[in-house]
Amino acid sequence: AGVENPVLPSEAAGAIKSEMAAEMAKSKKDFKRLKQLKADLDAQCKHDAKVAQLEARLETAMAKMDFDVADELNDELEALKAVVLVTAAEVAAAEAKLKAAMEKRSIQLLQKAIPQAENCGVDTAAATALLRQCEQEAAAAAAAAAGLKAAMDKRSIQLLQKAIPQAENCGVDTA
C-alpha cells in the first residue's frame, strides 16, 4: 500500500502551462482565453494520467512475465500515445481558415483547410460541398474557354455566337 507516483506533466501540458503563465503576466488578461487554456490543460492532464496508468500496468505485466497482457497493454498504450489532443485554439484556427476559404471560394484554400479542419473535429460537410461546386464551376469555365478558343481559331460566327454566351455564363472574359 504505497503512495502513487505523481504524473509528471507532458511536453504538451508544459506548453499549455507556459501559455497560461504568459497570459497571466499580461496587464490586460483575456479571461476567456485563460478559461480555455485551463480546460485544455485539464484534458491534457487526464490524457497524461491515462498514459501513466497504462505504463504502470504494462510494467506490472512485464514483471509478472504475462506477455499476452503486456502485448495488449502495449498496443493500447501506443494507440493512446498516438492521440494528439486538439486544443480549442487549434479548433478555432481551423474553423477560421475554413470560413475564409469558403468566403473566397478558393479551390486551393479549401483543399488545404478541409483536412486541417477534419483533423480538429470540425464539421466540413458544407465546405466539402462548396469545394465540389467550385471544382465543377472551374471545369465548366475551362470547357467554355476551350470552346471559345476553338470557335475563335476557326473564325466561325455561328460557333462564336454559341461559345460567347456559354463562356460569359461561366465567368470567362470574352472581351
Side-chain angles (χ1 to χ4, degrees), residues 35-163:
K35 182 179 178 181
Q36 188 55 62
L37 286 169
K38 172 74 168 95
D40 292 345
L41 180 61
D42 290 346
Q44 185 64 52
C45 288
K46 270 187 181 178
H47 182 266
D48 294 347
K50 286 180 186 176
V51 168
Q53 182 185 35
L54 275 175
E55 287 173 339
R57 289 176 57 203
L58 176 59
E59 195 175 306
T60 301
M62 291 293 294
K64 291 180 180 179
M65 295 189 176
D66 190 346
F67 300 119
D68 289 333
V69 170
D71 187 39
E72 288 176 26
L73 290 170
N74 190 58
D75 289 346
E76 199 176 327
L77 182 61
E78 292 305 312
L80 189 59
K81 283 183 175 180
V83 171
V84 176
L85 297 182
V86 178
T87 66
E90 291 168 323
V91 171
E95 287 173 338
K97 266 188 185 174
L98 191 61
K99 182 179 178 190
M102 290 176 72
E103 288 171 356
K104 291 179 182 174
R105 298 179 59 88
S106 165
I107 292 172
Q108 293 80 11
L109 292 177
L110 284 164
Q111 287 172 332
K112 188 175 179 182
I114 289 171
Q116 290 174 344
E118 286 173 341
N119 289 341
C120 291
V122 175
D123 180 14
T124 60
T128 301
L130 179 61
L131 173 60
R132 298 295 164 247
Q133 180 183 350
C134 290
E135 289 171 337
Q136 289 171 351
E137 290 169 0
L148 182 60
K149 183 181 181 327
M152 289 171 58
D153 290 346
K154 291 180 181 178
R155 298 186 182 274
S156 166
I157 298 290
Q158 293 166 329
L159 289 176
L160 281 169
Q161 286 174 333
K162 211 176 181 185

Side-chain angles (χ1 to χ4, degrees), residues 5-11 13-14 17 44-45 48-49 52:
N5 290 336
V7 176
L8 297 174
S10 64
E11 283 184 41
K17 285 181 179 181
Q44 185 64 52
C45 288
D48 294 347

